[in-house]
Amino acid sequence: MQTVYTERHHLHTTDRVLLEGHPFTVEEVPARAEAILTAVQSAAWTAVIPPTDHGLDPILAVHDAEFVHFLRTVYAESALRWGEGPVFPWTFATRHTGRKPRSLAGLAGYYAFGFGSPILVGTWEAAYWSAQSALTAADLVQAGASVAYALCRPPGHHAAADLYGGFCYLNNAAIAARALQAGARGCRVAILDVDYHHGNGTQAIFYADPTVIYCSLHAHPDEDYPYYWGEADERGVGAGEGSNWNWPLPRSTDDAGYLAALDEALAVIRAFAPRFLVVSVGFDIMTGDEVGCFDVTAAGLEEIGRRVAALEIATVVVQEGGYVLERLGEYAVTFLRPLAERE
Ligand SMILES: [Zn+2]
């Protein structure tokens, strides 16, 4: 099994963010990817390779062109106008008229749905290469690999076509799914999201699309982020009606509760009979995670990996969240090993 990784994620230097001169905590830090890299490097069953550059086209197959232009240019424009420093929105276009603002400050709050995702000098380049890592993993699976792992950072599942937030700027899993379809004449793709949080961005991108089903297990929106999406009755719209599946779960969900919901999701995926599977994996489902509130154990995580592997569908695994630095490497190896052994 190959792992796709690039050190360019360090350009998104979220461990030293200042907000008006004061330290601003972002849990999503470079050390996360490094912890996972160290663990996969010492596993005999995976080799680490760099991403290849697919350009902007596969990103624009998912994201709005003006949104991408904003992400590419907003730091430099903000630095010219107000000096160097992270770009934070100060207002949000909540319940707005739908009119797109012209000002830089207005656009920041139009394209962001939350506060915790600063745009730094290297954020665009890091997000671009994170997406390229997912695309390279998709290439490997398309070329016949049974599984490939994109060690993406920043993560992606909260980013929609023209919305960023939740530490996510470009939706790596969605970009991989669209690339898999483009390479195989619009074949069916399933996305399984086993991050602690609902992947509101992925849901939004495929909400009207019957060719991609989205199945997500996550904290109930009444109890946790991202609060406004993730209810079980969000089932898709138009031609996509019935292709969106949410399993909102209570806090403290343990192995048994999680695996029961997972089995339902896997049954939906089996019935859909997709050509490819994309897994958004987040280790913030693990007990003791500082952001998540589930109680999944290492044995439970291994079983999740085993049951996903048992689908026997060619799989791109995309890294999303997970915040306990000391355990992330162990978790990645535990989840990935059953998939690697299948190969
Ligand atoms: Zn998460």
Side-chain angles (χ1 to χ4, degrees):
M1 185 197 82
Q2 294 194 289
T3 293
V4 189
Y5 164 86
T6 170
E7 61 185 21
R8 289 182 181 91
H9 75 87
H10 281 285
L11 293 164
H12 187 49
T13 323
T14 47
D15 42 10
R16 292 192 292 277
V17 177
L18 293 181
L19 177 56
E20 299 194 330
H22 303 284
F24 180 85
T25 301
V26 181
E27 289 90 351
E28 200 290 292
V29 291
R32 296 179 55 250
E34 294 310 298
I36 295 175
L37 176 69
T38 302
V40 297
Q41 275 173 333
S42 59
W45 40 262
T46 184
V48 179
I49 62 163
T52 51
D53 192 353
H54 299 67
L56 271 180
D57 285 350
I59 293 171
L60 293 171
V62 166
H63 289 284
D64 174 78
E66 289 181 21
F67 170 72
V68 169
H69 177 78
F70 166 84
L71 288 180
R72 292 175 74 181
T73 58
V74 65
Y75 184 89
E77 280 195 37
S78 168
L80 266 179
R81 208 168 302 179
W82 296 300
E84 298 280 341
V87 178
F88 281 102
W90 286 102
T91 57
F92 290 97
T94 46
R95 286 170 277 178
H96 60 107
T97 60
R99 191 177 58 237
K100 191 182 289 189
R102 292 210 181 91
S103 71
L104 194 65
L107 281 173
Y110 177 82
Y111 286 130
F113 71 85
F115 193 74
S117 311
I119 295 180
L120 313 170
V121 62
T123 296
W124 165 255
E125 202 174 337
Y128 176 88
W129 283 101
S130 187
Q132 301 301 332
S133 295
L135 286 164
T136 304
D139 286 346
L140 293 167
V141 165
Q142 217 145 27
S146 123
V147 61
Y149 172 47
L151 208 183
C152 291
R153 182 182 173 272
H157 73 151
H158 293 302
D162 64 350
L163 210 55
Y164 74 97
F167 310 143
C168 302
Y169 305 87
L170 296 175
N171 194 312
N172 306 310
I175 290 166
R178 278 287 183 242
L180 288 165
Q181 286 194 304
R185 292 185 190 164
C187 66
R188 284 191 289 197
V189 175
I191 301 176
L192 173 67
D193 192 324
V194 290
D195 186 275
Y196 172 78
H197 302 96
H198 180 247
N200 56 294
T202 314
Q203 168 172 300
I205 287 164
F206 299 109
Y207 211 54
D209 186 342
T211 67
V212 177
I213 57 165
Y214 177 65
C215 295
S216 178
L217 283 64
H218 49 265
H220 197 286
D222 282 346
E223 297 187 315
D224 219 327
Y225 191 92
Y227 306 113
Y228 312 113
W229 304 274
E231 292 276 7
D233 63 0
E234 295 163 21
R235 295 298 318 282
V237 72
E241 178 91 52
S243 65
N244 195 84
W245 297 77
N246 286 327
W247 282 267
L249 303 170
R251 280 170 176 251
S252 307
T253 291
D254 60 7
D255 290 351
Y258 197 91
L259 290 167
L262 179 71
D263 282 344
E264 293 180 16
L266 297 180
V268 167
I269 291 170
R270 267 196 198 91
F272 184 65
R275 171 93 175 267
F276 298 108
L277 174 68
V278 176
V279 178
S280 276
V281 68
F283 303 122
D284 41 7
I285 59 170
M286 301 301 291
T287 186
D289 187 273
E290 50 199 68
V291 174
C293 293
F294 286 168
D295 287 326
V296 175
T297 68
L301 182 65
E302 188 172 0
E303 188 58 26
I304 295 168
R306 241 185 249 131
R307 293 186 192 186
V308 171
L311 283 173
E312 299 285 349
I313 302 169
T315 302
V316 175
V317 178
V318 176
Q319 187 62 49
E320 303 288 357
Y323 302 96
V324 178
L325 295 176
E326 307 76 51
R327 306 294 299 276
L328 278 181
E330 169 202 333
Y331 292 155
V333 166
T334 299
F335 174 77
L336 291 167
R337 193 189 292 119
L339 282 150
E341 281 170 354
R342 179 183 74 180
E343 193 178 42

